[in-house]
């Protein structure tokens, strides 16, 4: 049972309607602090829409999203932009800036949001890259010169640059080979462990059932805008829900 007082995100009776079509339907659940929570579901289930609501990029038609104790529906655009510093985001394809080196990519949010000196930014970015196993020889390489796995690592280092309280992963292993997929999943777990003292929470949007059951603390299954199952990972694998079992056994 999740303690409601120990929550990173509270989704309170959230409904999102686009042009008369209900994409999220009265969602009501809690994502606890300091845990890895994965949201599974078929394509079109509403996973990306939910993620955008947690980020404050979309606001619900009805209901409220509370993140780190702040009701996002009560913030204006300037406040939302500032609040998003609490998030780190690893995009599906890393989404690095093509014209920037690995080091420059990691330094980018530091230039945008901090008053660090160039020397401080270099030092901080270098330590982040090394922490995700990117060695100095690759610091000045462009994304096109890096492997898919290395681009993911650089993307994660950039996402961690502002010490986020919540890390969001959007389909982090899509399109990767099995070895790189294993590396990315291990990196997610290691990142969570390394940030336990800060109470960091990791939220993953995924189709990868096998990895989800291995690395997650809790798993939610979203279907047509509804959470149809939300359990600790070990219990989720044994769910009696027919739709969940169908998804697991695909």
């Amino acid at each position: 049972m999740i303690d409601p007082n120990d929550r990173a995100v509270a989704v309170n009776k959230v409904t999102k309607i686009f042009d008369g079509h209900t994409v999220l339907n009265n969602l009501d659940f809690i994502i606890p602090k300091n845990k890895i929570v994965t949201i599974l579901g078929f394509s079109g289930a509403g996973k990306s829409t939910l993620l955008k609501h947690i980020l404050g990029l979309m606001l619900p038609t009805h209901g409220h999203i509370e993140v780190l104790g702040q009701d996002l529906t009560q913030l204006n655009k300037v406040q939302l932009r500032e609040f998003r510093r609490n998030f780190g985001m690893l995009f599906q394809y890393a989404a690095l800036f093509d014209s920037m080196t690995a080091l420059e990519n990691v330094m980018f949010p530091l230039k945008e949001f901090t008053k660090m000196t160039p020397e401080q930014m270099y030092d901080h970015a270098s330590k982040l890259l090394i922490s995700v196993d990117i060695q100095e020889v690759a610091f000045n390489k462009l994304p096109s010169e890096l492997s898919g796995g290395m681009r993911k690592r650089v993307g994660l280092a950039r996402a961690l640059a502002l010490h986020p309280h919540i890390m969001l992963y959007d389909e982090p292993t899509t399109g990767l080979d099995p070895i790189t997929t294993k590396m990315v999943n291990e990196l997610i777990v290691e990142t969570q462990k390394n940030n336990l003292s800060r109470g960091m929470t990791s939220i993953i949007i995924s189709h990868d059932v096998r990895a989800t059951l291995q690395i997650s603390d809790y798993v939610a299954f979203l279907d047509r805008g509804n959470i149809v199952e939300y359990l600790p990972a070990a219990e989720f694998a044994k769910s009696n829900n027919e739709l969940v079992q169908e998804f697991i056994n695909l």
Side-chain angles (χ1 to χ4, degrees), residues 73-165:
T73 62
Q74 301 301 309
L75 300 181
N76 61 37
K77 289 183 178 180
V78 174
Q79 291 169 326
L80 271 172
R81 184 176 183 273
E82 182 65 22
F83 188 77
R84 289 193 193 106
R85 292 181 60 175
N86 289 296
F87 295 98
M89 180 85 185
L90 182 62
F91 296 93
Q92 189 168 335
Y93 297 106
L96 300 177
F97 297 110
D98 294 337
S99 61
M100 293 184 183
T101 65
L103 186 67
E104 288 169 341
N105 264 281
V106 179
M107 290 173 65
F108 179 78
L110 302 176
K111 290 179 180 179
E112 288 290 302
F113 293 105
T114 76
K115 296 180 180 179
M116 288 183 179
T117 65
E119 292 78 14
Q120 288 171 327
M121 286 189 287
Y122 179 89
D123 184 57
H124 185 53
S126 298
K127 288 177 180 177
L128 283 168
L129 284 168
I130 290 170
S131 76
V132 296
D133 203 25
I134 296 291
Q135 302 306 312
E136 194 168 351
V137 67
F139 283 10
N140 292 317
K141 289 186 176 182
L142 295 171
S144 60
E145 299 173 299
L146 303 173
S147 68
M150 290 178 76
R151 287 195 292 272
K152 288 281 188 180
R153 291 178 184 274
V154 175
L156 180 57
R158 185 180 64 185
L160 293 168
L162 298 176
H163 302 298
H165 293 288

Side-chain angles (χ1 to χ4, degrees), residues 224-241:
R224 289 177 287 187
N226 295 280
I227 295 286
V228 298
E229 194 72 283
Y230 185 32
L231 294 167
E235 294 178 29
F236 185 87
K238 303 171 186 175
S239 169
N240 293 321
N241 187 289

Side-chain angles (χ1 to χ4, degrees), residues 24-38:
L24 301 177
N25 186 16
N26 201 34
L27 292 186
D28 201 87
F29 70 104
I30 290 170
I31 295 176
K33 289 181 182 177
N34 240 9
K35 302 294 182 183
I36 298 176
V37 177
T38 299

